[in-house]
Amino acid sequence: MALSIALLALAGCEGKSAATAATSTANPRQPALSLGAQVGQLAFFDKNLSGGRNMSCASCHDPQYAYGPPNSISVQLGSDTRQAGVRAVPSLRYRESTPAFDDDAPNPDGVTSNSPGGGFMADGRAATMAAQAALPLLNPLEMNNTSKDAVVKAVQSGAYAGLFKQAFGADVFDNTDKAFDALGTAIQALETEDLSFHPYSSKYDLYVFNKIGGTLTPAERRGEVLFHSTGVTNCSGCHYTGANFNGNSGLMTDFTYQALGAPRNDRSIPNNPDPIPANDDPKYFDMGLCGPYRTDHMPSTPQTANPYCGMFKVPVLRNVATRGAFFHNGVLHSLEQVVNFYNTRDTNPEYWYPADKDGTGTPQANPAWALQPTHVPGATVNKYNDLPPAQQGNIDEEVPLGTGEGGDKTLASGTQPRAPGSPPVMTPQQIADLVCFLGVLSDGYQPSAKPPTSGKCVN
């Protein structure tokens, strides 16, 4: 892993945290924060809440990067800088509308059948934002505290202990569990009340509400049409744009779970700058809803088929263009690469997965956006290599990944994969247009006095 780069990123983020804490709510629309949210704001930037006193929530969830990571590293280093995590860090924006996890959750579109949905973390194992906030604090690969007591003592000896007691009671520190839970409640209050966690300040927001500056360019408009096209990209099938259960719209998620077959982020990828260390163990698999971190849906063995295995939560797409690592394992590093993966995962699996050395002939160059730089014609490609074979029947084959037509009932969706060598569903122009549309979902958009006349997302 690129250890030195990660350390520099961590140090750089911490250097500006105090200033960011003072200005993160500098918004004329921002109501005064409650006492609990004020505690949460101070705690969010408090490095003393980590085992090494060198890492805060903001180290990985930087407000300057839509409360996501400030770099393109697949998985971040924890407070113990000798260890890296196992999942890519998500943005914390637009989380307040997420319902608690349910195995049989209704889909907000009101049409699609019930399925697993909701919850926090990539596997939904936290029921609330308060519960979610507690998990990194005790994770040895993240903030690396040895116990709840260590966290509570850090708060109690800190500069905002008095405010903490004002918010949660003079006797709050008398009970470690009570104080620890109150810390999670404070961070949830911050994420709920502070408008910087849900600013709705993108070009898309101006567009959908017909505000000045919200006119999409021809390329962005074509991308929007593609986003909603059920026969081409089918993006909105999972990244739902309508009103959710709490009345908010445009979150670009339906809170469900999908098994997409993202390539394993390991050393089988040539020149991989940051493979996940846990993946060095060939017996280790991160299977989302069925483990290893969520335990209530685990199969009896990795070789026992389980419909939950390989499923990860559909992310909010707002600010997706600001990210540098994609999918649960951070294996891809650009939007263009992600869309091309959807387009060619099954038609050209040799672009994404390692192959056995049984091909013949001269290695052929793959596109620049492929994970595998070359392929040998006829070689056996190890598709879906980040899941045990018994769990690969869960892989999603809806459009654009598959044909969306009947067929092989061993697949969870009841649909067929696209045949290797068949034409991908999207053209290069459509991919470019779709990426342009995804760019309008970024917050902080400032309309220019004159519309742009040149650039890849204009005409």
Side-chain angles (χ1 to χ4, degrees):
M1 180 169 186
L3 182 62
S4 59
I5 296 175
L7 287 170
L8 287 172
L10 180 63
C13 178
E14 288 300 345
K16 64 188 177 189
S17 63
T20 308
T23 60
S24 66
T25 57
N27 184 326
R29 299 186 297 119
Q30 175 65 52
L33 297 179
S34 67
L35 286 177
Q38 291 176 46
V39 169
Q41 186 179 58
L42 293 167
F44 194 85
F45 296 92
D46 187 357
K47 293 183 290 185
N48 291 319
L49 298 189
S50 64
R53 305 295 185 260
N54 60 346
M55 181 182 190
S56 71
C57 300
S59 298
C60 290
H61 300 287
D62 190 327
Q64 301 296 319
Y65 293 85
Y67 288 100
N71 53 54
S72 299
I73 300 170
S74 295
V75 294
Q76 303 295 309
L77 290 177
S79 180
D80 178 353
T81 55
R82 298 167 298 176
Q83 298 192 76
V86 292
R87 290 179 180 167
V89 172
S91 165
L92 292 183
R93 277 193 174 158
Y94 303 102
R95 302 289 169 176
E96 73 284 352
S97 296
T98 304
F101 179 83
D102 189 337
D103 283 337
D104 193 38
N107 195 296
D109 66 13
V111 176
T112 309
S113 59
N114 291 9
S115 67
F120 296 86
M121 309 295 278
D123 54 17
R125 69 187 187 276
T128 65
M129 289 190 290
Q132 181 276 325
L135 295 177
L137 288 166
L138 301 178
N139 189 331
L141 300 181
E142 297 184 63
M143 297 184 78
N144 193 33
N145 286 289
T146 56
S147 65
K148 293 181 181 180
D149 186 59
V151 178
V152 171
K153 285 182 177 178
V155 175
Q156 190 173 12
S157 62
Y160 53 97
L163 184 63
F164 198 95
K165 289 193 286 187
Q166 277 186 268
F168 298 106
D171 62 346
V172 66
F173 291 118
D174 294 346
N175 184 296
T176 295
D177 287 338
K178 178 181 177 181
F180 187 81
D181 290 346
L183 179 62
T185 299
I187 293 174
Q188 175 173 284
L190 171 71
E191 295 179 32
T192 303
E193 296 178 30
D194 189 337
L195 295 183
S196 69
F197 283 90
H198 34 91
Y200 292 96
S201 59
S202 68
K203 185 178 184 180
Y204 177 79
D205 294 298
L206 296 177
Y207 166 68
V208 294
F209 291 108
N210 198 28
K211 298 291 184 68
I212 293 174
T215 302
L216 299 187
T217 67
E220 292 164 349
R221 176 62 181 142
R222 291 193 304 269
E224 184 200 23
V225 173
L226 284 165
F227 186 89
H228 294 288
S229 171
T230 57
V232 183
T233 73
N234 199 32
C235 299
S236 59
C238 293
H239 297 285
Y240 179 62
T241 61
N244 61 34
F245 308 115
N246 294 304
N248 292 334
S249 62
L251 292 186
M252 309 294 174
T253 183
D254 61 4
F255 310 111
T256 61
Y257 290 77
Q258 302 293 327
L260 298 176
R264 189 174 179 87
N265 189 355
D266 64 6
R267 301 179 198 281
S268 70
I269 301 170
N271 304 314
N272 189 353
D274 53 354
I276 295 175
N279 285 340
D280 289 342
D281 180 357
K283 296 180 180 179
Y284 171 82
F285 291 97
D286 187 350
M287 297 188 288
L289 285 185
C290 77
Y293 303 101
R294 183 172 190 135
T295 59
D296 55 341
H297 294 309
M298 293 184 75
S300 55
T301 71
Q303 287 70 44
T304 304
N306 181 303
Y308 293 97
C309 287
M311 288 189 167
F312 294 87
K313 188 168 64 173
V314 173
V316 171
L317 285 188
R318 284 176 172 270
N319 298 294
V320 69
T322 69
R323 292 191 61 80
F326 298 85
F327 291 132
H328 70 279
N329 58 3
V331 69
L332 302 185
H333 291 280
S334 74
L335 272 180
E336 289 83 1
Q337 196 175 35
V338 171
V339 179
N340 275 292
F341 171 77
Y342 275 92
N343 201 36
T344 62
R345 184 197 68 186
D346 290 345
T347 63
N348 299 92
E350 68 275 11
Y351 294 168
W352 307 105
Y353 304 103
D356 295 332
K357 296 179 180 180
D358 59 356
T360 59
T362 304
Q364 305 293 307
N366 288 336
W369 37 258
L371 273 185
Q372 301 291 331
T374 63
H375 72 276
V376 176
T380 301
V381 179
N382 298 317
K383 292 177 63 175
Y384 316 140
N385 65 328
D386 207 20
L387 277 179
Q391 314 301 344
Q392 293 177 7
N394 300 334
I395 298 294
D396 190 355
E397 295 293 354
E398 294 181 278
V399 174
L401 296 160
T403 64
E405 300 171 353
D408 187 353
K409 297 303 181 181
T410 64
L411 298 172
S413 61
T415 56
Q416 293 180 328
R418 296 185 185 277
S422 62
V425 67
M426 283 183 272
T427 68
Q429 183 62 60
Q430 287 175 319
I431 290 173
D433 290 342
L434 181 58
V435 170
C436 286
F437 172 68
L438 294 174
V440 309
L441 305 179
S442 297
D443 287 316
Y445 175 72
Q446 296 293 328
S448 58
K450 294 182 180 179
T453 57
S454 62
K456 64 180 182 180
C457 290
V458 174
N459 297 315

